[in-house]
Amino acid sequence: MKQDIIAPALNKIRAKKLQAQAEFDRLMAPVYADEKYQEINKQYVRLVIENARLQASNEQANLAEQAKLEDQLAKIKAKYGITQTKPNFACKNCDDNGYKNGEMCVCLKKEISRHLLKDSGFEKLEDFDSSTKTSGNLAPVYNKMKEWCNANSAKNLIYFAGATGVGKTHLMQCMANEFIEQGRMVKIVTAFKMNQDFRDFSKSFDEDLLNKYIECEVLFVDDLGTEPLYRNVTIEYLYLVINERKMKKLKTIITSNLDLSDIRDRYDERIFSRIADRQTSINLLLTGDDKRLNLKK
């Protein structure tokens, strides 16, 4: 993933760390000024370093003395009414570092997804719990899709079809929010914007233009069928993205006004077969003013 995407998200995480550390330092100011605390803390730091050296050499460390000094430091802190042992980091998993054991932390993935959301054309996402309460006859599909978001299903492509206004995009926004809260790397894009990137790739061959669609953990494509068809571009790269994601078993969610027969007519048999594949895809048709669900399996 490009650094210009990771950097702003990581900066937000690190800003939280600095704020938590500053608040902890303000809280600890009277303790740090205590001469007895200063003296014992110096002994403690020296002993921690020495014990680390001994353990690295497979020699016996003086852990009992280390624990004794820790207890003395805790008692001095308690005298000032402080029981907190470290800054109150927003992420307890990585202490607001963004990475843990060399791997990207869930908190950083969430921030990256929120950063990508700004470029998606969607101002906000929706919440399953609040949306289900007001979804009326669509409640069953909201519940089904929430289950799918939290399950390891072999069916990794969902195709929502239906006329404008039946609730496809709203449902997609709920699903995107669910995945982001799980710490999954999510990308949301309109079919028009993705198609523009396809055309730019055909001219520049900048692999990042395609990789961001192929490699993200969850891809949402809104309004497939509204984009212009560019010769030797749209169909070829749309198939590439869908097929690669199928092979990698990555989740893809597509909304469209087109039913499956329209997909075959507008694009080609290859794209139709990947979307309609009963083994790896779910096709949902939202119909009518009451948003009743017809499920095609």
Side-chain angles (χ1 to χ4, degrees):
M1 181 171 291
K2 294 175 69 175
Q3 273 302 121
D4 61 352
I5 295 176
I6 297 176
L10 189 57
N11 287 341
K12 275 199 168 185
I13 299 292
R14 299 285 168 81
K16 293 178 183 178
K17 182 181 183 71
L18 290 174
Q19 182 179 355
Q21 185 65 59
E23 291 174 355
F24 184 70
D25 288 343
R26 283 195 294 270
L27 180 69
M28 289 286 292
V31 179
Y32 293 151
D34 189 296
E35 292 183 0
K36 187 175 182 181
Y37 182 91
Q38 293 174 13
E39 179 185 344
I40 296 173
N41 193 52
K42 286 179 183 178
Q43 297 175 38
Y44 174 73
V45 171
R46 285 196 296 267
L47 184 58
V48 168
I49 295 172
E50 176 62 14
N51 280 343
R53 185 192 67 78
L54 292 171
Q55 289 174 326
S57 304
N58 292 320
E59 299 179 55
Q60 187 172 1
N62 192 351
L63 299 180
E65 181 63 21
Q66 182 174 321
K68 179 181 176 182
L69 292 175
E70 287 174 353
D71 184 62
Q72 291 177 12
L73 291 172
K75 287 179 179 178
I76 295 174
K77 286 168 61 180
K79 185 176 72 173
Y80 292 93
I82 299 172
T83 58
Q84 193 173 327
T85 58
K86 67 177 185 178
N88 186 24
F89 297 115
C91 180
K92 311 304 180 187
N93 182 53
C94 72
D95 288 346
D96 293 341
N97 288 306
Y99 290 87
K100 185 174 183 179
N101 300 326
E103 298 291 330
M104 194 176 287
C105 183
V106 168
C107 68
L108 180 55
K109 288 185 177 182
K110 286 184 179 181
E111 283 298 337
I112 290 173
S113 292
R114 293 185 182 111
H115 175 73
L116 292 174
L117 180 64
K118 295 178 182 178
D119 298 323
S120 70
F122 296 95
E123 295 182 1
K124 65 187 180 85
L125 296 180
E126 303 292 344
D127 178 74
F128 263 123
D129 293 335
S130 59
S131 296
T132 302
K133 295 175 183 177
T134 59
S135 59
N137 290 331
L138 256 187
V141 73
Y142 273 78
N143 291 329
K144 180 181 178 65
M145 288 301 98
K146 184 174 182 179
E147 289 177 7
W148 181 82
C149 290
N150 290 279
N152 186 22
S153 174
K155 297 189 176 185
N156 50 38
L157 185 147
I158 292 185
Y159 183 78
F160 292 119
T164 301
V166 296
K168 304 185 300 296
T169 299
H170 188 276
L171 181 54
M172 180 194 74
Q173 290 171 316
C174 289
M175 296 172 72
N177 185 65
E178 188 75 12
F179 281 122
I180 289 174
E181 289 305 309
Q182 293 174 16
R184 308 287 285 276
M185 200 79 72
V186 171
K187 181 165 183 60
I188 309 174
V189 66
T190 62
F192 184 88
K193 175 62 172 66
M194 185 170 69
N195 195 42
Q196 292 297 112
D197 283 339
F198 291 165
R199 187 173 67 168
D200 291 344
F201 173 77
S202 71
K203 297 176 181 178
S204 68
F205 296 103
D206 179 357
E207 292 185 358
D208 286 331
L209 290 170
L210 282 185
N211 286 342
K212 62 185 178 182
Y213 299 116
I214 293 173
E215 296 177 354
C216 61
E217 290 181 86
V218 188
L219 174 65
F220 291 86
V221 180
D222 196 33
D223 274 342
L224 187 70
T226 59
E227 77 285 0
L229 291 177
Y230 298 128
R231 185 178 180 183
N232 298 325
V233 172
T234 304
I235 294 174
E236 284 73 9
Y237 295 129
L238 177 60
Y239 174 75
L240 174 65
V241 168
I242 292 175
N243 191 59
E244 285 293 313
R245 294 187 62 79
K246 284 269 191 176
M247 293 177 64
K248 294 174 183 289
K249 295 180 171 58
L250 296 172
K251 293 183 183 294
T252 306
I253 299 89
I254 301 171
T255 75
S256 178
N257 291 351
L258 305 177
D259 62 27
L260 287 179
S261 62
D262 294 329
I263 290 293
R264 180 190 277 120
D265 294 340
R266 177 176 171 82
Y267 300 103
D268 63 13
E269 185 66 32
R270 297 174 305 158
I271 292 175
F272 168 80
S273 67
R274 302 309 278 154
I275 292 176
D277 180 9
R278 294 182 179 182
Q279 298 300 314
T280 59
S281 300
I282 296 174
N283 293 288
L284 298 171
L285 176 62
L286 305 183
T287 61
D289 294 336
D290 60 0
K291 302 181 176 65
R292 286 173 296 180
L293 170 69
N294 292 320
L295 176 60
K296 294 182 178 180
K297 294 184 178 179

